[in-house]
Amino acid sequence: MAIELTRVDEFALITLNRPEALNALSFSLIRDLGRALDEVAAGEARGLIITGAGVKAFCAGADIKELTGRSMMPQRAGAELGQATFAKLDRLPVPSVAVINGYAFGGGLELALACTFRIATRNAKMGLPEIKLGLIPGYGGTQRLPRLVGEARALEMIMTGRTVDAEEAHRIGLVNRMVDGDPVAQGVAFARGFAEYSRPVLALARDAATRALDVPLTEGLKVEADLSTLAFQTKDAAEGMAAFIDKRKPKFRDE
Ligand code: CAA
């Protein structure tokens, strides 16, 4: 299978498993990824970690060999499939962490951009090289990258196709952290930073921050007022505040 869905401790782990093609995103791999994301959404995992098989690549992007010679309507359907699949990451009930363990180009970087967090091994190289193929990104890169690193840096990456290394990616906020050692262990260590908190409240926090970027500030503040009020209504909020007052560790139950 080009997509492997396994479990590491309390986390789901998706491995892109096509190392012979640097884990490039064939359409069948994208469909399998969509099914795996549905399974994660329906399951009990406290977070999702995504990484690439092998030592060379997270994912080298859309499968260029499949893209050539496609007419306009199938190409449009392909972009919609990729976008819809990656959008599942935005709606996942748990946070996701892309562990970029090598090349993340084109659709590969776009997949990482759709995750809640990104961490990168020191050998990681990232870019949107579509322009070199006479293309532009089609799986969300033109929209998510400027939101993350700002318009000027995003336009430079999109319009020059320039590759950034892990250090620069960290500096410009493209990745949260640079890591050494086993990528999965590093992904798990990162995910431990949020795993103990309430799942529904984590989802509200993510929605408030990401939805706010889609609307003017006044609307975003309304979204925040609504979602923070919703968080306040959860049993986990009652437990968290009671635990503070009792000077004990809270026990969240995802309610
Ligand atoms: N699609 C299909 N096959 C790919 C691939 C891709 N995106 N990237 C690598 N491969 C294949 C190669 O064809 C090669 O297969 P063969 O051995 O059968 O020839 C194998 O993976 C190993 O690749 P290389 O020999 O090229 O490895 P390298 O170490 O010399 O170079 C690389 C690595 C710099 C990542 C190079 O493979 C490369 O530039 N790949 C393409 C990157 C790219 O342009 N990605 C954007 C794709 S378009 C896109 O993603 C559109 C979108 O927005 C959705």
Side-chain angles (χ1 to χ4, degrees):
M1 279 287 272
I3 289 291
E4 276 180 7
L5 173 59
T6 52
R7 192 73 190 241
V8 193
D9 302 339
E10 66 269 50
F11 304 109
L13 170 66
I14 288 181
T15 308
L16 310 181
N17 188 22
R18 260 189 102 197
E20 69 287 358
L22 304 185
N23 304 319
L25 302 166
S26 63
F27 289 114
S28 93
L29 184 150
I30 293 174
R31 282 190 204 94
D32 288 348
L33 176 62
R35 281 188 279 271
L37 291 172
D38 291 341
E39 226 178 289
V40 174
E44 309 257 292
R46 305 210 59 83
L48 167 66
I49 294 157
I50 304 185
T51 194
V55 291
K56 227 173 143 178
F58 172 72
C59 171
D63 189 319
I64 299 168
K65 292 167 191 167
E66 262 188 10
L67 291 183
T68 51
R70 282 158 65 86
S71 56
M72 193 170 85
M73 292 322 283
Q75 187 49 45
R76 165 102 199 171
E80 284 171 356
L81 172 70
Q83 288 186 357
T85 305
F86 292 2
K88 288 184 182 194
L89 284 161
D90 289 334
R91 293 193 301 268
L92 215 56
V94 291
S96 50
V97 183
V99 185
I100 304 173
N101 58 326
Y103 298 121
F105 285 137
L109 180 57
E110 292 172 291
L111 170 60
L113 289 170
C115 290
T116 320
F117 303 105
R118 287 148 295 287
I119 62 175
T121 56
R122 257 165 227 280
N123 67 330
K125 299 246 185 299
M126 286 150 260
L128 293 174
E130 285 89 342
I131 202 76
K132 298 177 187 173
L133 301 166
L135 300 171
I136 72 168
Y139 294 170
T142 65
Q143 303 307 300
R144 290 195 176 95
L145 188 62
R147 283 169 165 78
L148 203 58
V149 302
E151 187 183 324
R153 288 186 178 116
L155 279 176
E156 185 187 334
M157 285 179 69
I158 293 165
M159 297 180 73
T160 70
R162 188 168 77 79
T163 296
V164 303
D165 61 18
E167 212 158 300
E168 181 176 359
H170 185 230
R171 182 163 47 77
I172 66 177
L174 178 49
V175 302
N176 295 80
R177 208 165 283 176
M178 249 192 316
V179 294
D180 295 303
D182 177 60
V184 172
Q186 292 300 326
V188 167
F190 186 91
R192 288 258 145 77
F194 57 73
E196 279 187 7
Y197 301 132
S198 164
R199 269 182 33 152
V201 177
L202 282 168
L204 291 173
R206 181 198 55 196
D207 287 356
T210 55
R211 274 169 59 188
L213 293 174
D214 293 335
V215 295
L217 179 64
T218 46
E219 290 301 310
L221 289 170
K222 277 189 207 146
V223 170
E224 185 191 75
D226 288 346
L227 297 188
S228 61
T229 306
L230 212 55
F232 195 84
Q233 300 306 308
T234 63
K235 288 185 181 162
D236 285 336
E239 163 63 7
M241 291 184 283
F244 175 80
I245 290 162
D246 297 348
K247 297 190 188 302
R248 62 174 171 82
K249 201 169 180 294
K251 196 153 176 34
F252 296 123
R253 296 181 195 282
D254 300 334
E255 303 178 322

